[in-house]
Amino acid sequence: MNTIRNSKTARIVIIGAGPSGIAAATKLIKSGFENVLVIEAESRVGGRIYTVDFADNVVDLGAQWCHGEKKNVVYELVKDLNLLETTGTIYDDYVCIRSNREVLSDDVADVLKTIAFETIPERQKGLLKYEGSLGSYLVETYWRELEKSPNIDRTIAHEFLDNMKKFENSVEASDTVFEVSGQGHLDYWICEGELLLNWKDKGFHTLLKLLMKSKGNETNDLGILNKRVILNKKIEHIAWQKGDEAIIKCVDGQLIEADHIICTVSLGVLKENYKKMFTPLLPPAKCRAIEGLKLGTVNKFFMEFKVPFGPPDWTGFMFLWTQEDLDELRNTDYFWLESVFGFFRVSYQPRILGGWIIGPHGRHMETLTVSEVQKAILWLFRKFFTFPIPEPINFMRTQWYSNPNFRGSYTFRSMYTDELRTGAWDLASPLTNGAGKPVLQFAGEATHTHYYSTVHGAVESGWREAERLIAFYQSRPSQL
């Protein structure tokens, strides 16, 4: 006999304590649901929000900025709390340095930057009828616009284009811009306003504390989620059609019964495990979404120096490789440095530099020791710069792909996604029982059709699934 549940007795298990899981759990609890449990494989909450102490205050190893203002739920939550600040022109005023140690003049660099980045609004129009990849569109547009500047050396223009493609890969989390769907790119909605709002000296985990209503000065306080989160708890299997309930089997052998499961694990975890993780196997549309959507790798480096690095007027620097130097690099153990495209100053951290690496080379970097990575980065600096390079007093790198609880950084729509005619909507669709009860739901940035790859997309997806359960129980007659 099936037990009739209501909002106070329904057993809800949320898998994953990232922003989507925390958003779902806190909304359910605030709406009167009392039996809410969050299971997290990591030893911390936050998922791909990961703020750590470093240098003068903190750095964000994962999500770093609030992207936009209008219709951005993260911005709406904190806009009156004096927590955010514009990052300014750090990512606009960088210098471009060639591997022969030539620094591009401002005149040349400004022309190339304008072609590369100030045509982004036009991209939205140009892609409307474009059937190829984002990479093909960008390259075609770049060379077409460059024809208006015949005085620019074409060799330097090629080097800048290579760097531009790497930068775009870091935005998309793609291995190559030629795998990003041009049409799919239009599905991403840019929130109007400042796109790089930093969290001053507090870090992105400030958002999580607000959602949980935790005490700001107590690191381990989870607010309304206290005693509702189990850390270091890995899931082995989910039987989602066991009569009127679902059963979760944990790696340690524990069985957890649930009326509803909200699965917020990353797309990377789903890709690696979905065929053995669920019984029965997920429906074909769900499998196509998992296979077709792509989660790529973007990693960071943080270097702390005794004093601010380099010329004081440099906000950052991009690496442009000559073909001769690149050919030589590719035959060395440092081949992966090709995908380290730049370093920038970090807001509220004057003594540190933050660097970026993408794609397969970023995944290879994760297999190296910290000392090997630091040594390679210093070699890179000494290759490009004419001034003495000091030893850093602290060094850190991320490893988002090799962590089995993430297997990557964030998602995008690929050409293969389009070929399969799938998308985030298929991943977000809940699985129900015969009576229409949501049994297995999915949330996370990968499930958001328009704000994928972002924290505001993750938060919205968590609220979406919480509201689905709220609406389900509101539509049922009260049971006395």
Side-chain angles (χ1 to χ4, degrees):
M1 179 178 177
N2 293 335
T3 302
I4 298 176
R5 303 283 185 184
N6 56 39
S7 61
K8 294 188 181 298
T9 60
R11 300 164 299 175
I12 302 170
V13 177
I14 298 170
I15 302 175
S20 57
I22 288 174
T26 51
K27 180 172 277 289
L28 286 168
I29 292 168
K30 292 175 184 176
S31 299
F33 287 79
E34 297 181 358
N35 198 341
V36 178
L37 176 67
V38 182
I39 299 174
E40 170 56 52
E42 291 280 297
S43 60
R44 59 177 181 84
V45 302
R48 284 168 279 173
I49 292 179
Y50 192 8
T51 305
V52 299
D53 293 333
F54 190 85
D56 296 328
N57 43 76
V58 298
V59 292
D60 281 306
L61 302 184
Q64 186 166 337
W65 295 288
C66 174
H67 294 296
E69 302 171 36
K70 188 176 181 180
K71 296 184 179 179
N72 183 322
V73 295
V74 172
Y75 180 78
E76 291 296 327
L77 281 169
V78 304
K79 65 180 181 180
D80 298 324
L81 301 178
N82 194 31
L83 292 171
L84 296 174
E85 184 175 272
T86 176
T87 301
T89 60
I90 288 177
Y91 280 78
D92 298 320
D93 295 342
Y94 58 86
V95 297
C96 296
I97 307 176
R98 304 179 72 199
S99 56
N100 62 7
R101 298 186 172 184
E102 174 191 349
V103 178
L104 295 193
S105 69
D106 289 343
D107 290 342
V108 172
D110 287 346
V111 170
L112 295 173
K113 290 179 188 179
T114 298
I115 294 173
F117 303 116
E118 292 188 9
T119 57
I120 288 177
E122 298 301 318
R123 179 191 308 178
Q124 303 304 110
K125 299 177 184 177
L127 285 170
L128 283 172
K129 297 181 180 180
Y130 193 82
E131 296 183 358
S133 70
L134 177 63
S136 296
Y137 178 82
L138 291 179
V139 171
E140 291 171 14
T141 303
Y142 178 84
W143 289 116
R144 184 172 62 248
E145 291 297 315
L146 196 65
E147 291 176 359
K148 302 173 185 177
S149 302
N151 294 330
I152 299 295
D153 184 283
R154 273 3 189 208
T155 297
I156 291 176
H158 269 286
E159 294 168 7
F160 184 91
L161 176 60
D162 283 343
N163 184 276
M164 166 187 156
K165 288 186 287 187
K166 296 169 193 174
F167 183 90
E168 189 66 35
N169 280 327
S170 76
V171 175
E172 304 293 335
S174 49
D175 285 357
T176 165
V177 287
F178 299 102
E179 67 177 335
V180 181
S181 164
Q183 287 291 310
H185 183 77
L186 291 177
D187 281 339
Y188 181 83
W189 290 352
I190 298 175
C191 295
E192 294 179 19
E194 174 61 44
L195 294 179
L196 296 181
L197 290 164
N198 67 75
W199 295 85
K200 300 186 178 181
D201 58 350
K202 303 300 182 187
F204 218 132
H205 70 172
T206 305
L207 172 71
L208 305 179
K209 290 179 174 291
L210 286 170
L211 289 171
M212 297 185 295
K213 298 187 179 299
S214 60
K215 298 174 183 177
N217 57 349
E218 295 186 18
T219 304
N220 296 321
D221 181 60
L222 302 182
I224 62 176
L225 295 187
N226 277 327
K227 299 182 179 180
R228 296 180 183 272
V229 179
I230 303 177
L231 300 175
N232 300 302
K233 197 76 165 177
K234 296 187 177 183
I235 302 302
E236 180 177 310
H237 182 259
I238 298 172
W240 57 277
Q241 281 190 359
K242 283 292 184 180
D244 199 42
E245 65 181 13
I247 298 177
I248 300 168
K249 182 180 180 182
C250 303
V251 171
D252 61 11
Q254 181 182 2
L255 299 178
I256 301 174
E257 297 176 345
D259 298 297
H260 311 276
I261 297 173
I262 302 178
C263 181
T264 75
V265 301
S266 76
L267 178 65
V269 172
L270 287 176
K271 280 180 174 290
E272 186 172 66
N273 298 293
Y274 82 93
K275 291 180 181 179
K276 60 184 178 182
M277 186 175 177
F278 300 98
T279 301
L281 185 64
L282 298 175
K286 189 76 66 181
C287 295
R288 280 197 302 273
I290 294 171
E291 291 289 343
L293 291 167
K294 183 75 181 290
L295 179 130
T297 304
V298 180
N299 276 311
K300 300 181 185 181
F301 309 104
F302 290 105
M303 304 176 75
E304 177 189 3
F305 297 93
K306 289 183 179 180
V307 297
F309 180 91
D313 59 333
W314 285 12
T315 65
F317 40 86
M318 292 284 212
F319 300 116
L320 276 56
W321 287 91
T322 68
Q323 190 60 53
E324 180 182 359
D325 285 338
L326 191 57
D327 289 342
E328 183 177 338
L329 177 75
R330 287 173 172 174
N331 289 313
T332 71
D333 289 341
Y334 289 163
F335 67 92
W336 56 272
L337 290 172
E338 178 180 351
S339 293
V340 180
F341 62 86
F343 277 77
F344 300 85
R345 300 200 188 278
V346 179
S347 301
Y348 285 81
Q349 290 272 37
R351 295 185 299 105
I352 73 173
L353 291 175
W356 301 83
I357 184 172
I358 46 90
H361 290 156
R363 292 190 283 276
H364 174 79
M365 179 277 299
E366 296 187 26
T367 68
L368 305 176
T369 66
V370 172
S371 61
E372 288 173 329
V373 174
Q374 177 177 319
K375 180 181 178 182
I377 295 296
L378 290 175
W379 178 90
L380 179 68
F381 282 13
R382 288 164 183 147
K383 168 71 176 173
F384 276 76
F385 300 135
T386 57
F387 52 83
I389 305 300
E391 291 287 324
I393 60 176
N394 206 351
F395 180 88
M396 183 180 295
R397 55 85 186 266
T398 61
Q399 294 173 289
W400 288 108
Y401 177 76
S402 56
N403 187 323
N405 299 323
F406 299 104
R407 291 297 188 221
S409 303
Y410 36 91
T411 59
F412 66 95
R413 282 272 303 275
S414 71
M415 297 294 289
Y416 187 51
T417 313
D418 290 352
E419 185 177 334
L420 294 182
R421 299 182 182 180
T422 186
W425 53 88
D426 282 333
L427 187 57
S429 179
L431 303 181
T432 62
N433 67 3
K437 183 182 86 169
V439 177
L440 180 58
Q441 301 163 247
F442 293 84
E445 53 88 10
T447 72
H448 202 297
T449 300
H450 301 300
Y451 295 144
Y452 55 86
S453 81
T454 68
V455 173
H456 55 276
V459 171
E460 277 199 10
S461 74
W463 285 349
R464 178 194 69 218
E465 297 311 311
E467 288 164 357
R468 193 187 305 277
L469 290 180
I470 293 167
F472 174 76
Y473 281 99
Q474 286 177 343
S475 68
R476 301 183 69 182
S478 298
Q479 302 295 331
L480 301 178

